């Protein structure tokens, strides 16, 4: 879906079309909204071939969006089964984690308790710093990126929610039934992650580096919450 949207938007940009509609307050309207789609469909070109290409890109994007929605419904149905529901609902108590990302974590991990500690879970995802040491010299580099690439991307994207979110615990969604103890632990995790992210930015840590560090700690909180649910 992202590829289709990229192709469609860049095709329009190459032909000099840029969406610039604003709200009455002067704020720019968002992309892929109803207003944006109405604007796209209103475009016509002097060349029929250009109109044919535009129609193809529109159809491909719409189809990809429908496919994504259908697959998300299948994932939600699977996540609501007794085997997964309590863990998925509990992990969702962390900010930045929705049904899809929680299901990714629970499905991929299988059993969180199979990892002996949070550090080993983060290492499995590839979010631990690399190390180049010799004798008494200890040097750490960037993350290893050696592990579950999909979950690494999910957590890095989830971590971007923390620079602007509040310290308050996350409200429960309709039908969400987490473990009470896990929900309390998730509230502690949110406060910790928000505070640590703010502290890193105040120290001048680059935002991307701070985000990866937040993603690593978020992985550790997910592991802890998952283990709490599995161990009762």
């Amino acid at each position: 879906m992202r590829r289709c949207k990229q192709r469609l938007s860049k095709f329009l940009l190459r032909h000099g079309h840029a969406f610039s509609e604003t709200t009455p307050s002067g704020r720019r309207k968002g992309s892929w909204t109803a207003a944006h789609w109405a604007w796209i469909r209103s475009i016509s070109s002097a060349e029929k071939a250009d109109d044919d290409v535009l129609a193809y890109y529109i159809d491909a994007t719409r189809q990809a969006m429908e496919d994504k929605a259908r697959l998300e419904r299948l994932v939600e149905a699977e996540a609501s089964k007794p085997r997964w529901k309590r863990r998925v609902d509990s992990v969702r108590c962390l900010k930045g984690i929705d049904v899809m990302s929680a299901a990714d974590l629970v499905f991929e991990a299988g059993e969180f308790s199979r990892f002996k500690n949070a550090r080993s879970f983060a290492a499995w995802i590839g979010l631990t710093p690399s190390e180049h040491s010799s004798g008494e010299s200890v040097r750490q580099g960037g993350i290893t990126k050696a592990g579950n690439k999909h979950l690494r991307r999910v957590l890095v994207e989830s971590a971007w929610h923390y620079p602007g979110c509040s310290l308050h615990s996350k409200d429960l969604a309709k039908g969400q039934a987490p473990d009470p103890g896990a929900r309390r632990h998730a509230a502690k995790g949110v406060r910790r992650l928000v505070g640590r992210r703010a502290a890193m930015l105040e120290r001048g840590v680059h935002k991307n580096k701070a985000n990866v560090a937040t993603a690593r700690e978020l992985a550790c909180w997910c592991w802890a919450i998952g283990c709490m649910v599995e161990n009762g």
Side-chain angles (χ1 to χ4, degrees):
M1 186 186 71
R2 285 195 297 269
R3 287 195 298 269
C4 289
K5 286 182 176 180
Q6 180 82 354
R7 289 166 181 161
L8 173 55
S9 63
K10 298 312 175 187
F11 173 80
L12 293 173
L13 191 60
R14 286 198 306 272
H15 287 76
H17 302 291
F19 183 63
S20 58
E21 292 184 15
T22 58
T23 62
S25 62
R27 185 176 181 181
R28 183 177 175 180
K29 293 182 180 179
S31 298
W32 313 115
T33 59
H36 187 210
W37 275 112
W39 171 78
I40 291 174
R41 292 190 180 280
S42 69
I43 295 172
S44 61
S45 303
E47 296 287 343
K48 183 180 182 302
D50 288 340
D51 286 337
D52 291 342
V53 173
L54 177 59
Y56 170 79
Y57 282 145
I58 290 174
D59 290 343
T61 303
R62 285 293 195 184
Q63 184 62 51
M65 293 173 69
E66 292 173 5
D67 290 344
K68 179 176 180 289
R70 178 176 59 83
L71 291 170
E72 285 180 343
R73 289 193 295 270
L74 292 173
V75 172
E76 288 176 357
E78 182 67 24
S80 65
K81 293 181 179 179
R83 177 185 177 186
W84 312 108
K85 180 174 174 55
R86 199 162 180 81
R87 282 179 292 166
V88 169
D89 285 355
S90 297
V91 173
R92 284 174 63 194
C93 291
L94 289 164
K95 290 187 177 181
I97 304 290
D98 60 7
V99 178
M100 293 298 110
S101 50
D104 283 337
L105 287 158
V106 174
F107 294 170
E108 293 284 328
E111 295 287 339
F112 288 97
S113 53
R114 70 187 177 94
F115 301 95
K116 62 180 181 180
N117 52 39
R119 180 178 295 179
S120 63
F121 180 66
W124 177 67
I125 299 174
L127 284 171
T128 51
S130 58
E131 184 172 325
H132 307 279
S133 304
S134 177
E136 297 180 357
S137 175
V138 177
R139 293 185 303 162
Q140 288 189 325
I143 58 172
T144 62
K145 296 185 180 179
N148 193 307
K149 181 180 180 181
H150 176 63
L151 288 189
R152 187 165 62 251
R153 180 186 60 79
V154 167
L155 288 167
V156 168
E157 289 183 356
S158 297
W160 283 113
H161 287 74
Y162 284 90
C165 70
S166 68
L167 293 168
H168 301 297
S169 59
K170 187 178 178 181
D171 295 332
L172 294 180
K174 183 180 179 180
Q176 185 179 356
D179 178 86
R183 189 187 180 195
R184 291 192 296 271
H185 200 59
K188 289 171 58 179
V190 168
R191 292 193 296 271
R192 159 76 180 179
L193 289 165
V194 171
R196 186 163 183 259
R197 181 60 170 270
M200 284 190 289
L201 295 179
E202 287 178 3
R203 295 200 311 269
V205 178
H206 190 276
K207 62 180 181 180
N208 291 341
K209 188 175 181 180
N211 193 70
V212 172
T214 304
R216 180 186 181 280
E217 187 160 346
L218 179 58
C220 295
W221 284 99
C222 291
W223 173 85
I225 290 168
C227 287
M228 288 179 70
V229 178
E230 290 170 5
N231 298 328

